[in-house]
Amino acid sequence: ARSYTSAHAPPEGAHIWVASSEIGQETYFQVLAIEADAKSESSSSPLLLGIDDLYPRPPPATALVAWEVGEESCRDGVVATQCVTPLADDTTKWQLDVSTRSVGASALQDVINSTSESAPLRHKTWVISPVLDSGYALLGEHKKLVPVSPTRVLSVRQPDAMAKNSAGESSDGGINVTVAGSENESVELLFLVPGGRIKAAACTVPPARTACEILVH
């Protein structure tokens, strides 16, 4: 993780941390923005995240999307624009406004408040995901503080057309994700799919196994 170093200086008391996870050939970023001052949101300057704040820096022309972790409007079947922000293919120009908002009780909020004398604090957590050539993107586990963790997500790949997964399902070149879990655990992930929709898909870890596979196409 690294602290915010954008050319756009954040307001006093505001901080942004960025961490990355390498999963196969793909890199996923998690962004945590915190404002220590209890100012009204309308009086705060925007916190802007740019391409230079991501490490490793995505290759030129990488299509990326960002979504706010825990955003309740992000659910199966909804139009993606309700909760997902596309970042321009020209990665030298995009900026993501990660300004914080007032939040209620949460596990993360408890941790933040326990380390600061200022209250209330405001925070936002974002995940930035690459869009595969097939037009699909893994967003992650909706209810987790770290939606895309290499401990949980073991691999992300774009299957070859007409390939089949372990369940015998054929693929049209969508997205195939292998996730770790305990025996009989059900794991649900959110995806962005072509056509601009959010799709939820799940798998259940078989008996005597430690992983299962989700194929979305």
Side-chain angles (χ1 to χ4, degrees):
R2 63 195 279 272
S3 60
Y4 185 72
T5 57
S6 172
H8 300 84
E12 183 178 356
H15 303 275
I16 296 179
W17 290 272
V18 181
S20 62
S21 295
E22 302 284 341
I23 302 176
Q25 298 182 348
E26 308 298 336
T27 302
Y28 294 81
F29 300 93
Q30 180 142 344
V31 180
L32 171 61
I34 299 175
E35 286 189 80
D37 295 332
K39 300 175 182 178
S40 67
E41 187 172 351
S42 61
S43 67
S44 298
S45 301
L47 303 181
L48 299 177
L49 187 83
I51 186 66
D52 289 331
D53 298 299
L54 302 184
Y55 181 83
R57 184 187 176 106
T62 299
L64 301 168
V65 292
W67 70 288
E68 184 185 348
V69 176
E71 173 57 54
E72 291 300 327
S73 64
C74 224
R75 58 185 185 274
D76 187 53
V78 304
V79 177
T81 52
Q82 294 186 33
C83 62
V84 172
T85 302
L87 304 177
D89 287 349
D90 183 353
T91 55
T92 62
K93 295 182 179 179
W94 65 258
Q95 291 179 338
L96 176 66
D97 185 350
V98 294
S99 300
T100 61
R101 57 172 171 76
S102 297
V103 296
S106 69
L108 178 59
Q109 193 65 40
D110 291 342
V111 172
I112 294 172
N113 285 337
S114 69
T115 59
S116 173
E117 296 179 357
S118 329
L121 297 177
R122 301 198 304 271
H123 78 269
K124 254 187 184 179
T125 306
W126 294 78
V127 168
I128 298 178
S129 301
V131 180
L132 302 185
D133 292 340
S134 60
Y136 293 75
L138 167 65
L139 301 181
E141 289 187 86
H142 187 254
K143 298 296 184 180
K144 293 296 181 70
L145 292 179
V146 182
V148 183
S149 164
T151 303
R152 172 69 100 179
V153 180
L154 303 180
S155 69
V156 179
R157 62 187 181 87
Q158 179 177 308
D160 295 332
M162 302 310 294
K164 292 187 177 182
N165 70 356
S166 58
E169 299 171 306
S170 62
S171 165
D172 59 0
I175 186 170
N176 189 303
V177 180
T178 302
V179 294
S182 57
E183 184 176 341
N184 298 318
E185 180 183 5
S186 179
V187 182
E188 182 178 271
L189 302 176
L190 290 181
F191 297 86
L192 172 68
V193 301
R197 294 272 176 181
I198 301 299
K199 183 176 179 62
C203 67
T204 299
V205 180
R209 299 284 297 275
T210 58
C212 59
E213 192 173 283
I214 299 174
L215 173 62
V216 177
H217 59 92

